[in-house]
Amino acid sequence: AARTRDDLRCPIVVIMGHVDTGKTKLLDKIRKTNVQEGEAGGITQQIGATYFEKSTLLTQTARLNETEKFDLTLPGMLVIDTPGHESFTNLRSRGSSLCDVAILVVDLMHGLEQQTIESLHMLKNRGTPFVVALNKVDRCYSWKTCKDMPIREALKEQAEGTLQEFRSRASDAKLQLQEQGVNSNIYWEMGDDDWENSDFVPLVPTSAITGEGVQDILLLLCQIAQRKLWKQLMWCANLQATVLEVKAIDGLGMTVDVLVVNGHLREGDRAVFCTLEGPIVTEIRGLLTPPPSREMRIKSEYIHHKEIKGALGVKVIGNGLEKVMAGTSVLVVGPDDEVEDIKAEVMSDLTKLQDKLSTDKKGVMVQASTLGALEALLQFLREETKPPIPVSAIGIGRIHKRDVTKISIMNEKGCPEYATILAFDVPIEQAAREQAEEVNVKIFTADIIYHLFDQFTRHMEHLTE
Ligand code: GDP
Ligand code: MG
């Protein structure tokens, strides 16, 4: 079928911002409102994501849309809540645009905080469009609650003193954004030129507790998606999917959480996954999503699907998934496909990385939690360290004893400084630690790249003293 503007997939929306700005609460608010209104069927909590059906979006924006009269055609919206920005890095692994648009949440009472600024630059660098939620507007002095109302209606109800505080805080936030090189304005005060300018950021005052402005932010995201992102949102049958996480679930064995951006996944499909030891081809035995619910994900309550359509987060059951790497692509062998071609394609991201490893086989081992993190780390070691730190081996996930044994050969090769594992955000087995003692391998761990580099540099200085 031809790709058309009439057949868009769900946009993938990511919520970012400093801790405690209200990211989770904002998502909760949208879910709860719906549950209260008996619309539970309209919301499905997904793996690491919440899926809102079109009907949910329509009811949640009904009041505002009486005046906006926006013709909402999206099939729904997939919203991803991030605990910190690291998971976002993972989601956005391989530079592929998994997220289409973002909500950057700012606490109106605190202004721009550290993680917000980091998120801001991350979004700018990647060219991801975003809106800023000026959250906790209800904390303005003597705020009069207008539960779940469009924000302009709520502001009309406020006393002059409250409005003054709101305006002053909003303009502070605007200035702080300006300092970060971002032009912004309260969204209904933006001119036509501002809307045309893709670098201009709309500000939406919200309260995640009392719900003012939540309609506005939802409708605005829909409008941005339909008006500005429709080209990238045209649904297509080609599967585009990325492994988010690999985890064991009681009674199900090893499962893989997959973000399906586009295309279909069906039970019985022959799926191809990437592992360090090569591609694996396995039949999809089950496709699960959690049921409509607000937060708890109880495994016995998973809903089984015969087929799912992107964009959606889904838990995949199959054999031999233990070694699948987070951050890699998933493909399906179609009737006209050569399985070898699909295997090569699935492995290509990893192969590209392996091609860049030290050619004389002397260098440290680098282990990271996902392919995306590994890529970032390798790039850092190659480009940001002087001299570059050579890497001879890479891995994803938990550090085993055999990894330690493998890198210990650097001691025999006459470069003990490279008998080292740089471990980024991964667990280390006790047996691996013991083995490291035994065979003189250093393991440095950190969840911030710079820290790893500092440790290793000190180690090198120590050795050369
Ligand atoms: P996150 O870390 O960004 O996910 O923030 P949370 O959603 O966990 O919220 C942090 C705290 O701020 C919680 O105590 C929330 O109740 C509170 N909070 C979040 N949004 C609002 C809001 O709009 N108004 C008020 N008054 N409190 C809020
Ligand atoms: Mg949270």
Side-chain angles (χ1 to χ4, degrees):
R3 304 177 65 189
T4 72
R5 196 169 175 168
D6 301 327
D7 188 16
L8 302 185
R9 64 170 172 84
C10 299
I12 302 174
V13 180
V14 70
I15 309 188
M16 303 179 78
H18 197 83
V19 66
D20 273 355
T21 50
K23 299 181 292 296
T24 304
K25 206 78 196 166
L26 203 54
L27 197 46
D28 269 349
K29 181 68 196 167
I30 309 171
R31 293 179 203 143
K32 265 186 218 144
T33 310
N34 225 53
V35 171
Q36 281 169 354
E37 290 170 6
E39 298 266 346
I43 297 174
T44 312
Q45 163 121 28
Q46 296 293 331
I47 315 290
T50 306
Y51 175 62
F52 296 100
E53 288 182 344
K54 178 179 179 178
S55 59
T56 310
L57 296 175
L58 286 172
T59 26
Q60 298 268 30
T61 58
R63 171 94 181 210
L64 180 61
N65 216 6
E66 281 170 21
T67 47
E68 292 284 314
K69 304 205 185 315
F70 178 67
D71 182 18
L72 197 152
T73 59
L74 295 169
M77 188 185 282
L78 190 67
V79 183
I80 295 169
D81 184 15
T82 60
H85 65 271
E86 188 46 45
S87 55
F88 184 68
T89 308
N90 297 346
L91 277 174
R92 291 292 307 254
S93 57
R94 300 174 291 107
S96 67
S97 49
L98 290 178
C99 297
D100 302 298
V101 56
I103 304 175
L104 186 63
V105 184
V106 170
D107 183 334
L108 185 60
M109 298 297 129
H110 295 168
L112 262 61
E113 296 166 278
Q114 190 52 38
Q115 259 169 271
T116 308
I117 294 174
E118 282 174 26
S119 306
L120 184 78
H121 290 292
M122 200 174 278
L123 291 167
K124 269 179 59 174
N125 289 340
R126 290 179 170 143
T128 308
F130 62 99
V131 301
V132 168
L134 296 177
N135 195 37
K136 308 198 185 182
V137 67
D138 62 289
R139 292 188 54 194
C140 286
Y141 181 71
S142 300
W143 179 264
K144 185 165 168 260
T145 298
C146 302
K147 198 168 172 297
D148 303 333
M149 291 298 271
I151 188 63
R152 272 170 286 181
E153 286 190 53
L155 286 172
K156 279 191 199 129
E157 298 298 317
Q158 307 306 319
E160 187 50 37
T162 310
L163 282 180
Q164 263 172 19
E165 182 184 351
F166 164 70
R167 285 195 209 104
S168 141
R169 290 192 185 275
S171 94
D172 287 350
K174 218 161 95 174
L175 267 177
Q176 290 179 323
L177 284 165
Q178 187 87 62
E179 283 164 14
Q180 300 298 323
V182 174
N183 287 318
S184 68
N185 205 348
I186 298 289
Y187 87 94
W188 61 87
E189 290 174 1
M190 281 169 61
D192 290 345
D193 290 352
D194 301 335
W195 286 110
E196 288 304 312
N197 178 355
S198 58
D199 292 331
F200 204 94
V201 175
L203 307 178
V204 189
T206 57
S207 168
I209 302 284
T210 44
E212 295 91 343
V214 172
Q215 301 211 14
D216 301 70
I217 209 153
L218 278 178
L219 196 62
L220 189 56
L221 288 169
C222 294
Q223 287 168 329
I224 291 173
Q226 273 177 233
R227 288 179 178 154
K228 298 195 169 187
L229 305 175
W230 61 272
K231 277 190 187 144
Q232 81 190 54
L233 293 179
M234 285 191 296
W235 191 80
C236 79
N238 290 342
L239 180 65
Q240 188 193 344
T242 298
V243 176
L244 293 183
E245 209 178 330
V246 183
K247 58 184 172 209
I249 301 285
D250 284 347
L252 296 176
M254 202 56 90
T255 68
V256 177
D257 291 353
V258 173
L259 182 64
V260 179
V261 179
N262 231 326
H264 285 117
L265 268 187
R266 297 183 181 90
E267 213 179 80
D269 272 347
R270 281 172 79 205
V272 185
F273 291 91
C274 172
T275 83
L276 258 190
E277 284 137 51
I280 58 158
V281 183
T282 190
E283 188 185 314
I284 295 182
R285 286 198 289 112
L287 292 167
L288 307 181
T289 61
S293 86
R294 281 175 293 167
E295 356 201 312
M296 295 312 293
R297 299 173 192 170
I298 303 161
K299 67 175 190 303
S300 58
E301 284 185 5
Y302 284 124
I303 296 174
H304 292 248
H305 302 263
K306 285 282 170 223
E307 170 182 307
I308 61 104
K309 186 180 174 185
L312 207 63
V314 68
K315 187 179 279 300
V316 174
I317 311 177
N319 293 329
L321 298 174
E322 292 74 16
K323 291 183 177 155
V324 171
M325 295 196 295
T328 57
S329 304
V330 186
L331 287 176
V332 159
V333 185
D336 305 326
D337 292 328
E338 288 293 340
V339 67
E340 292 308 318
D341 295 345
I342 304 291
K343 282 182 179 173
E345 199 177 332
V346 159
M347 293 303 292
S348 64
D349 291 324
L350 182 64
T351 325
K352 272 181 227 147
L353 279 193
Q354 282 166 334
D355 287 348
K356 289 183 193 149
L357 296 185
S358 166
T359 41
D360 62 2
K361 300 198 168 55
K362 285 182 184 171
V364 300
M365 175 180 275
V366 176
Q367 191 88 7
S369 49
T370 69
L371 188 66
L374 182 63
E375 263 174 355
L377 197 49
L378 289 177
Q379 185 181 359
F380 183 84
L381 295 175
R382 204 165 48 236
E383 292 170 12
E384 308 283 330
T385 60
K386 286 197 178 64
I389 297 173
V391 177
S392 66
I394 52 176
I396 306 261
R398 176 178 293 276
I399 294 178
H400 304 278
K401 187 175 165 185
R402 62 167 186 272
D403 299 316
V404 174
T405 309
K406 184 174 168 191
I407 199 66
S408 70
I409 56 166
M410 290 301 148
N411 286 321
E412 281 105 69
K413 283 193 174 177
C415 35
E417 70 275 24
Y418 297 147
T420 297
I421 302 178
L422 302 184
F424 183 64
D425 189 24
V426 290
I428 303 164
E429 286 190 345
Q430 186 53 33
R433 285 189 198 279
E434 285 160 13
Q435 178 75 354
E437 282 287 319
E438 188 96 352
V439 296
N440 275 323
V441 166
K442 282 259 179 293
I443 305 179
F444 295 112
T445 58
D447 37 27
I448 296 176
I449 288 182
Y450 299 91
H451 294 176
L452 263 188
F453 168 61
D454 289 346
Q455 290 180 43
F456 183 72
T457 313
R458 276 199 301 270
H459 168 63
M460 290 291 270
E461 281 164 6
H462 181 73
L463 280 180
T464 48
E465 262 164 20

